[in-house]
């Protein structure tokens, strides 16, 4: 499947009927649209945009709410090194937006993931049928191509197994402190 054939994320999420799960495994992301907020967080220790009603979340929050209202269960798990990086502190502080939108979020310390077979990239799985891999540069910005997709049953099974193992061991957001 070529990059041009990969549906956009919002198309995949809008097509989901039962589940959408996301596994994040990096300790630092450096995507451009977060740069100013992250820099402000590192100076102040306060997430500058943890309010789901702000315009910056105008695309994400309504999309998640719409998806969850259709009965789709959205879960996000994050594997993190401890002590956590400043970026993970930033992400943890902003997770209130994910929760307010309707996502369920868990955190797993990396040392507890050593015996889990994990794919090489972060990913989303939609309805246990399709995987969208997210590709990042070493510095954490989007790579080119940004993502790839697989409907191969073995790939979906590997990713689903990895996600479920992380989810089972993960600590609910409300109980995980950074």
């Amino acid at each position: 499947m070529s990059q041009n054939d990969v549906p956009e994320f919002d198309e995949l999420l809008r097509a989901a009927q039962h589940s959408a799960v996301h596994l994040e495994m990096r300790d630092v992301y450096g995507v451009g649209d977060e740069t100013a907020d992250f820099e402000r967080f590192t100076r102040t220790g306060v997430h500058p945009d943890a309010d789901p009603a702000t315009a910056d979340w105008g695309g994400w929050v309504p999309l998640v709410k719409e998806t969850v209202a259709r009965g789709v269960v959205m879960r996000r798990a994050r594997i993190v090194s401890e002590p956590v990086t400043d970026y993970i502190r930033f992400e943890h502080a902003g997770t209130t937006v994910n929760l307010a939108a309707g996502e369920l979020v868990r955190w797993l310390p990396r040392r507890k993931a050593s015996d889990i077979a994990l794919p090489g990239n972060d990913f989303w799985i939609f309805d246990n049928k399709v995987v969208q891999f997210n590709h990042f540069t070493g510095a954490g910005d989007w790579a080119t191509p940004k993502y790839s997709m697989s409907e191969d049953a073995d790939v979906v099974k590997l990713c689903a197994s990895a996600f479920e193992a992380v989810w089972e061991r993960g600590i609910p957001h409300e109980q995980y402190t950074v």
Side-chain angles (χ1 to χ4, degrees):
M1 176 173 289
S2 76
Q3 179 63 26
N4 294 336
D5 296 332
V6 177
E8 292 294 326
F9 172 81
D10 60 343
E11 293 175 55
L12 292 168
L13 191 56
R14 283 192 171 100
Q17 298 175 8
H18 307 286
S19 64
V21 301
H22 185 37
L23 183 60
E24 298 176 15
M25 299 180 282
R26 298 179 57 94
D27 287 318
V28 176
Y29 294 86
V31 293
D33 62 345
E34 292 180 339
T35 302
D37 285 348
F38 179 61
E39 288 173 359
R40 186 168 162 200
F41 176 81
T42 58
R43 284 192 317 274
T44 67
V46 176
H47 198 293
D49 194 17
D51 179 357
T54 64
D56 286 345
W57 293 106
W60 182 251
V61 171
L63 178 61
V64 173
K65 285 184 174 187
E66 162 197 316
T67 300
V68 171
R70 288 195 329 269
V72 176
V73 177
M74 288 187 68
R75 298 181 293 159
R76 177 184 302 255
R78 295 175 171 140
I79 299 174
V80 296
S81 299
E82 293 178 322
V84 299
T85 62
D86 286 342
Y87 184 86
I88 295 301
R89 279 189 199 74
F90 167 74
E91 200 170 50
H92 188 271
T95 297
T96 55
V97 174
N98 301 86
L99 299 173
E103 285 187 73
L104 305 171
V105 180
R106 291 190 181 177
W107 303 81
L108 182 65
R110 191 171 307 282
R111 71 182 179 282
K112 295 182 178 184
S114 296
D115 62 343
I116 300 172
L118 298 166
N121 296 289
D122 290 7
F123 61 82
W124 280 90
I125 306 173
F126 303 94
D127 291 333
N128 280 325
K129 294 179 182 175
V130 61
V131 177
Q132 182 186 61
F133 291 103
N134 298 328
H135 303 290
F136 298 96
T137 65
D141 202 353
W142 288 108
T144 302
K146 281 180 153 182
Y147 42 76
S148 58
M149 192 172 99
S150 178
E151 294 176 300
D152 180 285
D154 291 334
V155 173
V156 172
K157 184 178 178 181
L158 168 71
C159 293
S161 174
F163 181 86
E164 292 304 331
V166 170
W167 186 259
E168 182 178 308
R169 295 179 191 182
I171 301 164
H173 175 76
E174 299 81 5
Q175 297 171 18
Y176 186 72
T177 56
V178 295

